[in-house]
Every structure is written in C-alpha cells, then in structure tokens.
Amino acid sequence: MGRGSPIPTMLRRKIVEQYQKGVTQRKIAKTLHLSSSTVHNIIRRFRESGTISVRKGQGRKTILYARDLQALKQHCTTTRNSTVKEITEWAQEYFQKPLSVNTIHRAIRRCQLKLYSAKKKPFLSKIHKLRRCHWARDHLKWSVAKWKTVLWSDESRFEVLFGNLGRHVIRTKEDKDNPSCYQRSVQKPASLMVWGCMSACGMGSLHVWKGTINAEKYIQVLEQHMLPSRRHLFQGRPCIFQQDNARPHSASITTSWLRRRRIRVLKWPVCSPDLSPIENIWRIIKRKVRQRRPKTIEQLEACIRKEWESIPISKLEKLVSSVPRRLLSVVRRRGGATQW
C-alpha cells in the first residue's frame, strides 16, 4: 500500500471490530500488518465521529476538469504524433490557463492514454490498398492445408551492433559526460544480406552474402538453395513458391528462369510484408541476435545460422496457419496494414 493511500473500508472495519472486542492497538497493528499510528488515527476518528469513513483530502484543486480532459483526449487522439510540448502549447492557448509540461503529462495519463513507440509499417497508397484487398479476397477460400504447400522466401539485412543496447542509461546528473553513459552510434555499420526460405514442414536453406543483390545473383541463390530446399521439404509433392516484388525477383531473366524450371510462383501484392510468415521469423531472429550482441561479421553470421536452425516446426505451423486470419484482417481494414 503506497504512502498516503486510504485504508480500504473492510480493513478499517476490522480494526474497529477488534478495538470494540478489547484488543490493544499494538496487537491490532501487528495482526493486520499496519503501523501503530495508522491504527491509532482510525480508532480516534471512530471515537470522535462514530464513523470509519475517510476524511476528505485538502490537497490542491485540479486545474483541468472532466470537460477539459475530454477535449484534451480528443485532441491527443486526433494528433497522435504530437509531442507533449506541442500538446502543452495547444492546451495553454485552448484552455487559457498556465499549464506546464508535467501537468499535461499527468492529464494525458488521467485520460487513460500513454506514450508508446509507434510500429513501423510500409506506406500504403490507395492503389496498394485496393490491390491488397482484391488479392486477399481472391485467396480467402484457400484452406490452411493449401497454405502449407507454399515455400515462403525473403531477404533481410542484419547489422553488427555497437555500443550499449537501448537509449536509456542509469546514471547520476554528474555522469552525463562519462564515456560509459554514452549511446554509441556508427555511421555505416557492417552488415550482411540474408536470403532464406521456410514452410510449415520446416526451415529451408539459408544464404548469406555481403553487399547488394541483383537478378543474376538471385538466380544463383535460387539454383543453389531454393531448389534443394524445395526437394528436401516437400519430397516431390507439388508446392508454390512465394517471393515479394523486389526488382531482382520481378526481373525478366528471373521470370524466364522460373518459367523454364516450371516453378509455380504465388502472385504477391506490393508492400505486403505483413502477409508473409517469414517476416515474423526475421523479427524473431533479429531479437535473439540483439541479445547475443555479435561484434564481428563472423560472429553475426554464426548467430544468424544458429538461430535460424533453432526455430521449431510448431512455430512454423502456427505462423503459416495464421495466413487466413491475416487475409481476413486485410479485407476488414480495406487493404490497410495488419497487426502482423
């Protein structure tokens, strides 16, 4: 129980009942794990007024009332990307009152609002949303069993992490220039581009290279890693290959190569990483790699491969089984970004 918090009514009633039975105040305090002064004040108030109700506090009156909080909440939800300082400047002009940043910060909490880091989602134009919605409706009839025949693929970039993790540091006011309290940043950290594929049956092959990728390199990756993974995971059963609309993927030589190999490719809507389960795999691996804190390219590659191989099949089945729900969410949001 915090300092200054009122004692619950049931507890105050127990104190008075034990006092009426002749129990000493010290024993009541010890039994109920309260301070002797608290028990003494409750009993004294009962003897003087005959009631156990809490006396009304005499603190400072609130500067923002219920109607003001309602207007503040509406402004915050309308301009969600405003800083507390900007909201304070608006509130001072709107309410014509001398309001501080701390006052507005407390008022925002009273409105049941809180400052969070915004999720990063790709920008979706009206055309993107329309195409996503049409694509989702066309594939709503697909069963989970059919989605399990898809070989999901994607690339992702991993960077070597330097310095301390996070923006916060525990220090005194005088330690602001202590080197151990700095947040280190690197202009262009060393990085690796990783290609991988997976299905509900298991994890496929993983290819790591430095630099960027073009259509010729991408075809080599497909020949050396996608085809063996396809044979290993599906054992000759028919499957559908999924890839996004990156330039190396949609290049004419890549399309011709896939056609010559008679590989059935799933048509994919633009700007739709939230519909692919392998994006969740990348997030899981990046989170675990950040915890390992690799300092070199070699350590980074070893961490990526280790975490890639440790993904359980139950996790893959759960992610692939969520695709129908993702499509339904896209339709309900009229092509907008989903929570995945």
Side-chain angles (χ1 to χ4, degrees), residues 157-160 188-193 208-211 297 300:
R157 183 175 296 278
F158 289 78
E159 295 180 348
V160 175
K188 291 183 179 180
S191 62
L192 293 174
M193 181 66 77
V208 181
W209 72 90
K210 299 178 184 178
I297 287 289
L300 177 62

Side-chain angles (χ1 to χ4, degrees), residues 124-266:
L124 295 172
S125 64
K126 291 183 178 179
I127 297 177
H128 293 160
K129 292 180 180 179
L130 186 63
R131 291 176 179 174
R132 277 165 54 90
C133 195
H134 286 328
W135 186 88
R137 283 175 177 164
D138 292 341
H139 293 80
L140 273 177
K141 295 181 180 179
W142 281 28
S143 63
V144 174
K146 190 164 184 178
W147 286 114
K148 288 184 177 181
T149 64
V150 176
L151 180 64
W152 306 88
S153 72
D154 192 31
E155 297 94 7
S156 186
R157 183 175 296 278
F158 289 78
E159 295 180 348
V160 175
L161 302 174
F162 293 89
N164 300 321
L165 184 64
R167 296 179 299 170
H168 303 284
V169 62
I170 300 175
R171 64 172 177 84
T172 62
K173 187 176 181 180
E174 292 75 19
D175 283 338
K176 62 179 181 180
D177 292 321
N178 190 324
S180 64
C181 299
Y182 292 157
Q183 181 188 358
R184 304 293 183 179
S185 61
V186 179
Q187 191 72 17
K188 291 183 179 180
S191 62
L192 293 174
M193 181 66 77
V194 180
W195 179 92
C197 61
M198 50 79 67
S199 73
C201 308
M203 302 297 290
S205 182
L206 190 72
H207 180 66
V208 181
W209 72 90
K210 299 178 184 178
T212 58
I213 185 173
N214 53 27
E216 290 80 7
K217 291 181 181 179
Y218 181 63
I219 292 174
Q220 293 178 5
V221 172
L222 295 181
E223 287 181 341
Q224 299 172 8
H225 298 277
M226 189 274 284
L227 293 179
S229 299
R230 183 185 176 205
R231 288 192 296 268
H232 170 70
L233 294 174
F234 293 96
Q235 301 292 323
R237 299 188 303 273
C239 72
I240 307 169
F241 179 60
Q242 181 273 338
Q243 60 179 1
D244 59 21
N245 297 290
R247 287 188 178 181
H249 304 176
S250 57
S252 58
I253 58 173
T254 306
T255 306
S256 300
W257 183 88
L258 291 168
R259 191 181 301 113
R260 288 197 308 270
R261 290 284 186 166
R262 296 182 179 180
I263 297 172
R264 185 182 173 187
V265 180
L266 178 65

Side-chain angles (χ1 to χ4, degrees), residues 110-127:
R110 288 174 60 193
C111 294
Q112 305 298 318
L113 299 175
K114 193 177 179 181
L115 297 175
Y116 292 94
S117 297
K119 284 186 176 181
K120 291 183 180 180
K121 295 288 183 180
F123 172 76
L124 295 172
S125 64
K126 291 183 178 179
I127 297 177

Side-chain angles (χ1 to χ4, degrees), residues 85-116:
K85 185 177 180 181
E86 293 171 344
I87 296 173
T88 304
E89 293 174 354
W90 169 87
Q92 290 173 348
E93 182 178 355
Y94 183 83
F95 298 118
Q96 294 296 311
K97 295 179 181 180
L99 301 167
S100 66
V101 174
N102 291 334
T103 300
I104 294 300
H105 210 289
R106 289 192 298 269
I108 292 174
R109 290 199 296 269
R110 288 174 60 193
C111 294
Q112 305 298 318
L113 299 175
K114 193 177 179 181
L115 297 175
Y116 292 94

